[in-house]
Amino acid sequence: MPRTQPRRGRLSPAAAAALLLSLAVVLGALWGLQRGPLPAAADFGPPAPAPSTGPAAPGAAVDPVPTAAPPGGGGDDAPAGRDAPRVVVPAPDVRDASVEATAAQRPPAPTRLLAPTLGLDVPLDAVGVTGDGLMEIPEDADRAGWYRHGPAPGEDGSAVIAGHVDDLEGPGAFLALNGAEKGTPVTIVREDGSRLDYVVTARRTTDKKELPVDDLFDREGEQRLQLITCTGEWSERAGSYTDNLVITATPAP
Amino acid sequence: MRKITATTTAALLAGAGTAALATPAMAMEDGGEATVSVLHAVPGLTVDVYVNGEETVPDFEPGTLTDPLMLPEGTYDVAVYADGDDPESAEPAISAEGLEVPGGANLTLAAHLAEDGTPMLSAFVNDTSTLDAGQSRLTVRHAAAAPAVDVRAGGSPVIEGLTNPNEEVLDLDAGTVSADVVLAGTEDVVIGPADLDLAEGTNTIVYAWGSAEEGTLDLAVQTIDGLHGDPGGVPSGQGGIATSTGVLTVLLMAGAAGAVLAGSRLVRREVA
């Protein structure tokens, strides 16, 4: 009937908006629900070092003698054999201790990570730690974070860059890391425009709880990049994926 | 000219520093060696430093600091002579005998002025305990011929009433601070402001040195790095942000509610 037809077909703008919103929300939620295991590939490269026990507890073996004894008193009761060792040391280097002379020089910060063969081109943010002591990761899964407290690319040690594998809107840029293979070229662009070229040498999948943080965040040794994202099964209980995927790259020969 | 009253004083640290030092802050490496740096903070006099009779730091100028020396644990005699003086004949400008250096300790031996302007030696113990990731340590030492001072960061006092030869230690977020030194309880700036780069994982040790009367007050800086802690993990699945499960549930419910709402409107229309 002409009277009912337009009514049936007509959605009030509010109802239409509500429907659209519901649809979007449900689709978004389905992305969340459907994420099962993320695409995975076999690990390669040297095995992850065994989690170390961390630095030895400082001072554990030493009496907490906080300071030097006052002069004059030390001579009499110093244990035999401990007094007056000959000091035969080369003259130490001496430096200007002024504030200006002590200001630290840091290399240019990395601003972009490229891996053309993986279709990866991600802007980088300099990040620190969250309130609960975890590495900070940019909320936006289209960006990645460089751990600014650790080495910068180009410095000795391990430069750590991490990004979300996905967010509630869909896959993140670092999902592409799953395609990394031995020899995959990776480039860092720095704030001064300079570029550093690397090649992938290893990939490791580790349970998040066993992430070898003291190796990953090592500030010494060979220059290397550690690209980190998530992988494994979605754990509803933990509200996160179970594993970290770590891609290691070293300076291109 | 080079007649400076010989004083044999090695200051024992006391006060605020002690609490931090009571934690096992020493001996990053075991093995009976101590790490000792030497700071020259007596204005106006180039010196030679003798340790147990051996010339160890020649031609040492005010406002300079040695790299760390590794010394076997033991007791040491330290004598500071005006540059070029013969220790066989001359009197030391400053000396300390029987300075006990424990194995594993990290010390800074500072030649500086007492509050009354007399040269003295202080052996400061450096806090090398590990910091949390993202944190930096600031140590401030009063080694100047000056009364009690406050240290301000960005204009607000972070250390108050510090006196010679004491120190205060703070752990704080890494970053650059604009620091100045004022007479305690006043706004009278005696040093600074200076930008201090408090690097993560580093103990930045700032000495206020010189003489207020002579107008030679200044800052000297020593840094000890490698004290960093690592982040506890890398939460890189945004699904993985802590609230995601909650968010997802709420969204699902909101979606369902929205569908119900929209549906009910349709139904109502139908009925109407």
Side-chain angles (χ1 to χ4, degrees):
Chain A
M1 299 294 285
R3 237 183 48 179
T4 55
Q5 214 153 12
R7 285 200 176 176
R8 192 189 305 172
R10 194 200 311 142
L11 266 180
S12 78
L19 260 184
L20 280 176
L21 180 68
S22 317
L23 195 64
V25 158
V26 168
L27 282 180
L30 283 179
W31 160 258
L33 285 182
Q34 278 183 347
R35 63 183 116 202
L38 289 156
D43 290 358
F44 57 84
S52 95
T53 52
V62 176
D63 293 333
V65 180
T67 189
D76 293 339
D77 45 32
R82 285 185 65 189
D83 46 342
R86 302 298 291 176
V87 179
V88 186
V89 290
D93 284 339
V94 174
R95 64 185 64 194
D96 183 354
S98 67
V99 175
E100 299 72 29
T102 317
Q105 297 293 323
R106 292 218 70 185
T111 54
R112 202 159 200 96
L113 171 72
L114 310 169
T117 59
L118 305 178
L120 185 69
D121 178 353
V122 204
L124 301 178
D125 299 331
V127 298
V129 288
T130 61
D132 48 0
L134 302 176
M135 179 175 166
E136 189 185 350
I137 316 274
E139 289 272 325
D140 182 349
D142 293 329
R143 306 183 70 84
W146 160 62
Y147 186 62
R148 69 174 193 269
H149 298 315
E155 284 186 304
D156 280 356
S158 173
V160 180
I161 295 173
H164 288 306
V165 70
D166 60 17
D167 60 19
L168 295 171
E169 290 165 18
F174 264 25
L175 187 60
L177 286 182
N178 275 283
E181 293 170 353
K182 202 162 199 147
T184 298
V186 175
T187 297
I188 289 286
V189 182
R190 302 195 285 181
E191 59 186 346
D192 64 351
S194 61
R195 299 161 81 93
L196 299 169
D197 292 324
Y198 297 80
V199 289
V200 170
T201 55
R203 105 183 247 140
R204 311 194 297 249
T205 308
T206 54
D207 188 303
K208 270 190 185 169
K209 296 187 199 75
E210 284 152 27
L211 189 69
V213 285
D214 44 338
D215 173 59
L216 277 181
F217 292 93
D218 186 8
R219 300 194 184 181
E220 291 170 0
E222 298 286 306
Q223 280 187 33
R224 54 210 189 272
L225 279 187
Q226 309 272 20
L227 311 177
I228 309 178
T229 192
C230 280
T231 190
E233 304 279 342
W234 176 258
S235 164
E236 202 60 53
R237 195 169 61 82
S240 66
Y241 292 101
T242 51
D243 298 339
N244 276 124
L245 174 67
V246 181
I247 306 288
T248 303
T250 56
Chain B
M1 178 96 144
R2 56 172 75 123
K3 268 233 161 176
I4 287 181
T5 323
T7 313
T8 56
T9 313
L12 270 168
L13 284 185
T18 313
L21 297 167
T23 59
M26 319 166 48
M28 289 302 280
E29 56 256 274
D30 202 4
E33 282 201 323
T35 306
V36 181
S37 307
V38 187
L39 174 73
H40 184 351
V42 178
L45 184 72
T46 300
V47 298
D48 301 323
V49 179
Y50 286 74
V51 179
N52 288 352
E54 302 282 338
E55 186 175 30
T56 305
V57 193
D59 306 334
F60 197 26
E61 293 183 13
T64 63
L65 171 77
T66 69
D67 280 352
L69 292 159
M70 299 307 296
L71 298 183
E73 80 172 1
T75 46
Y76 289 87
D77 296 337
V78 178
V80 179
Y81 292 89
D83 183 29
D85 271 6
D86 182 356
E88 295 296 324
S89 51
E91 283 294 310
I94 324 172
S95 65
E97 289 174 2
L99 206 62
E100 190 166 322
V101 175
N106 189 316
L107 306 177
T108 301
L109 185 64
H112 65 96
L113 299 179
E115 181 171 348
D116 66 3
T118 316
M120 63 183 285
L121 284 171
S122 291
F124 291 102
V125 179
N126 303 318
D127 184 349
T128 56
S129 58
T130 302
L131 288 154
D132 288 341
Q135 295 276 294
S136 180
R137 179 168 298 137
L138 172 63
T139 303
V140 180
R141 293 174 177 162
H142 189 324
V149 296
D150 297 340
V151 178
R152 305 189 300 184
S156 26
V158 290
I159 294 171
E160 295 180 86
L162 185 64
T163 54
N164 187 324
N166 294 307
E167 70 169 3
E168 198 143 337
V169 183
L170 304 169
D171 289 356
L172 62 179
D173 286 346
T176 300
V177 297
S178 173
D180 63 10
V181 178
V182 296
L183 295 177
T186 74
E187 304 279 316
D188 300 337
V189 177
V190 290
I191 309 178
D195 282 342
L196 296 178
D197 175 21
L198 305 180
E200 194 255 3
T202 297
N203 186 355
T204 301
I205 305 169
V206 180
Y207 300 83
W209 68 286
S211 159
E213 201 171 299
E214 312 274 327
T216 55
L217 291 179
D218 204 350
L219 298 179
V221 181
Q222 174 184 11
T223 56
I224 299 175
D225 60 15
L227 313 182
H228 56 276
D230 295 323
V234 182
S236 52
Q238 172 99 314
I241 53 176
T243 53
S244 71
T245 306
V247 167
L248 202 61
T249 311
V250 169
L251 286 177
L252 273 174
M253 290 175 66
V260 168
L261 182 68
S264 68
R265 291 190 80 98
L266 278 177
V267 169
R268 232 185 290 148
R269 295 275 164 159
E270 282 274 330
V271 170

